[in-house]
Amino acid sequence: MTDDTKARIGQIVTDNDVVLFMKGTPLFPQCGFSSRAIAILDHLGVAYQGVDVLQDQAIRQGIKEFSDWPTIPQLYVKGELVGGSDIMMEMYEAGELQQLLSDKGLVPAG
């Protein structure tokens, strides 16, 4: 990964409280895992930034190295990697994702 790509990814993660690196866009996800991640975030009512890795090959490859996580989508909350759609689903079902977002002041306490 180039220094420029690393800096761009770092800036995206830093500038947005909740970021989902995904295939497609929030309105038109391009894979089932990205679609599931969007559904969870939308259900929780959290504001987030979607980043379409299909539009930028450097970001698509770079995010995997940046996070040391091999798959997409990838959810970041307040600069920290949460994980992919399976981890998001497990956390959501256990109430942990809602708690994390609440603790960070991103959704009202439920």
Side-chain angles (χ1 to χ4, degrees):
M1 169 172 46
T2 66
D3 288 344
D4 177 57
T5 300
K6 186 174 183 177
R8 286 187 348 186
I9 293 171
Q11 192 72 48
I12 292 167
V13 169
T14 302
D15 287 352
N16 298 280
D17 287 339
V18 181
V19 182
L20 184 67
F21 290 88
M22 61 179 294
K23 293 178 181 176
T25 65
L27 292 175
F28 195 64
Q30 295 291 305
C31 81
F33 297 110
S34 292
S35 182
R36 182 179 349 167
I38 292 296
I40 292 168
L41 294 173
D42 286 349
H43 182 76
L44 294 174
V46 65
Y48 62 92
Q49 177 68 44
V51 177
D52 183 0
V53 300
L54 298 177
Q55 297 299 315
D56 189 327
Q57 196 62 31
I59 296 287
R60 183 177 187 174
Q61 294 307 314
I63 190 61
K64 296 174 186 180
E65 188 176 326
F66 182 87
S67 63
D68 196 26
W69 191 265
T71 59
I72 296 168
Q74 293 183 15
L75 177 67
Y76 283 80
V77 175
K78 294 281 190 171
E80 295 181 26
L81 176 67
V82 174
S85 65
D86 290 345
I87 289 174
M88 287 175 67
M89 182 59 86
E90 289 172 18
M91 289 179 70
Y92 172 75
E93 289 173 346
E96 296 168 359
L97 187 56
Q98 299 88 318
Q99 188 63 52
L100 172 69
L101 294 170
S102 177
D103 289 350
K104 301 285 187 181
L106 300 170
V107 295

